[in-house]
Amino acid sequence: MSPHLDAVRVEQVWVAGGVVRIAACTRELTVACPDCGGGSARTHSRYSRTLADVAVGGRPVVIGLSVRRLFCDGPGCGRRTFVEQVEGLTVRYQRRSPLLQMAGVLLAGRGGARLLQILKVPLSRTSVLFHLMRLPLPAAATPRVLGVDDFALYAGVYGTLLVDADSRLPIELWAGRYAEQLAAWLRTNPGVEAVCRDGSLVYRQGITDGAPDAVQVSDRFHLWQGLSKRVGDTAAAHRSCLPTAVPDPAAASPPPSPTAPSDQADTRARRHAKNLFDAVHAVTDTGISLHAAAHRLGLNRRTVGKYARAATWQECVRRTPSRRPTSLDPYLEYLRQRWEEGEHTATVLHQEIVAKGYRGHYQRVKMAIAPLRRGLPIDTARERPPSPRQVARWITTAPSRRGLHATEALRRLFEHCPGTGPNP
């Protein structure tokens, strides 16, 4: 049987309806009062508790345990009676043994529910989590190095988290971020030697008031965050110099923009738009209403209104949306140059620009050079100037991990921007 039953006297074991039932009672021992700690063996009464336990032989186990209610004879104790608890078998207000509660501790909700299903104790995941949340937390010792940081619950509402910086275990969780809260906790828990915090003045004031002898430091994350912000602010102050990071466009004239329609109706859609424009204006210029013109032409009133308000038929042509910039744009000129040099293999070209810092997929390179195979010009869109945040990311990235494109862009930026060093 289960080892935790050694603390009680088993009186009967039988099987009924596929369930193993055990009748037991506690031994006549002295039990400590939960309030004052004084021992007592004077019985007030007895009653029976029903407990679910670990399955035996694939069958669920139910224990009917008779426990005592005892008097507390402590002179200064306010409790008159209390119920004895059997270690490892009973918990106050619980109808399951602690072994079953360990499923929630080990596997949490869904995993614990599946494990209990195997142990023939069906329990939902929410019930497992409920039992898990009722377990008392171990008393946290005062840390030597305390970590203090805030977190956002939602817009404008923050909380405070205290962490043991040595063990990396959470200690306290509060709603709000106030200096009084932190100062009160530090006074209640003396012994903190150092506190890791962010740049918040609120936390600085709370640490100064609650633990004036503690050393206030910043951890690696907040140091790097502060450095990145300062670099970003510096890059934003030199915003006018950022276009110099982009190489000058080629001297060749750019290809015609696909968004600018020509004056010739050289496609079926453009011919249709021109014929429809002429037909609508031939009717509406006579002065009849749009409703009558739509009825005569057999068109929708909105379509007639669109063509009637247009000054030319080109305004009615659907324009192709402009192409969005991609991560391949800085390498299009290099791909065109390598194609002219005789390299026509997309795999080789992809490997070459990857070495320069490109992180995109091979298929994008293959699609980019497809017009060159048909004798058409490659889409060499003008590269956009970098943003201050992008420049800050380039600067704070280790040179060994920085791509060739970023390195060249920083070199051009530092050469043309006054007040900066010669090397990135």
Side-chain angles (χ1 to χ4, degrees), residues 203-275:
Y203 291 148
R204 184 180 71 176
Q205 184 63 38
I207 298 168
T208 303
D209 295 343
D213 297 333
V215 179
Q216 300 186 33
V217 297
S218 291
D219 55 15
R220 181 173 55 184
F221 170 79
H222 288 108
L223 286 174
W224 190 256
Q225 185 184 51
L227 174 62
S228 300
K229 186 177 184 304
R230 297 299 180 272
V231 174
D233 294 342
T234 304
H238 293 265
R239 189 183 298 271
S240 59
C241 302
L242 298 185
T244 61
V246 180
D248 294 334
S253 59
S257 174
T259 61
S262 62
D263 296 335
Q264 297 180 357
D266 51 357
T267 63
R268 181 178 178 181
R270 297 169 68 82
R271 287 193 298 268
H272 174 74
K274 184 177 184 304
N275 295 334

Side-chain angles (χ1 to χ4, degrees), residues 282-300:
V283 177
T284 57
D285 289 347
T286 61
I288 66 174
S289 64
L290 296 179
H291 180 77
H295 181 72
R296 179 181 301 182
L297 296 174
L299 298 173
N300 187 278

Side-chain angles (χ1 to χ4, degrees), residues 115-372:
L115 177 60
L116 293 178
Q117 190 73 26
I118 298 174
L119 298 177
K120 304 300 181 182
V121 184
L123 203 63
S124 67
R125 61 180 181 86
T126 54
S127 298
V128 173
L129 292 177
F130 175 75
H131 287 289
L132 176 61
M133 289 186 291
R134 292 189 62 177
L135 294 177
L137 296 176
T142 302
R144 184 182 63 87
V145 181
L146 178 67
V148 183
D149 202 359
D150 60 356
F151 62 94
L153 293 170
Y154 45 88
V157 179
Y158 294 89
T160 300
L161 175 65
L162 303 185
V163 179
D164 187 342
D166 291 330
S167 62
R168 300 185 180 182
L169 296 178
I171 300 175
E172 291 285 346
L173 192 65
W174 301 326
R177 46 180 181 181
Y178 305 105
E180 296 79 8
Q181 279 182 323
L182 182 57
W185 189 91
L186 290 172
R187 295 191 193 101
T188 310
N189 300 269
V192 177
E193 300 177 5
V195 182
C196 295
R197 63 172 181 86
D198 57 7
S200 173
L201 299 179
V202 174
Y203 291 148
R204 184 180 71 176
Q205 184 63 38
I207 298 168
T208 303
D209 295 343
D213 297 333
V215 179
Q216 300 186 33
V217 297
S218 291
D219 55 15
R220 181 173 55 184
F221 170 79
H222 288 108
L223 286 174
W224 190 256
Q225 185 184 51
L227 174 62
S228 300
K229 186 177 184 304
R230 297 299 180 272
V231 174
D233 294 342
T234 304
H238 293 265
R239 189 183 298 271
S240 59
C241 302
L242 298 185
T244 61
V246 180
D248 294 334
S253 59
S257 174
T259 61
S262 62
D263 296 335
Q264 297 180 357
D266 51 357
T267 63
R268 181 178 178 181
R270 297 169 68 82
R271 287 193 298 268
H272 174 74
K274 184 177 184 304
N275 295 334
L276 200 58
F277 176 83
D278 296 338
V280 170
H281 276 269
V283 177
T284 57
D285 289 347
T286 61
I288 66 174
S289 64
L290 296 179
H291 180 77
H295 181 72
R296 179 181 301 182
L297 296 174
L299 298 173
N300 187 278
R301 185 180 180 277
R302 293 183 178 180
T303 303
V304 174
K306 170 186 173 183
Y307 279 87
R309 288 189 297 269
T312 61
W313 64 269
Q314 287 88 347
E315 298 179 12
C316 303
V317 178
R318 179 178 298 179
R319 290 172 171 82
T320 304
S322 58
R323 184 181 67 85
R324 294 182 179 181
T326 65
S327 59
L328 186 61
D329 289 349
Y331 307 95
L332 291 179
E333 181 62 27
Y334 176 80
L335 293 177
R336 185 192 62 80
Q337 178 182 354
R338 293 289 292 133
W339 183 276
E340 294 177 354
E341 294 175 357
E343 183 55 67
H344 299 166
T345 306
T347 304
V348 177
L349 294 175
H350 176 258
Q351 293 174 354
E352 291 181 0
I353 63 176
V354 164
K356 290 181 171 292
Y358 177 65
R359 299 181 181 276
H361 197 267
Y362 152 77
Q363 289 293 340
R364 182 169 293 181
V365 178
K366 180 180 178 181
M367 294 174 61
I369 65 174
L372 296 176

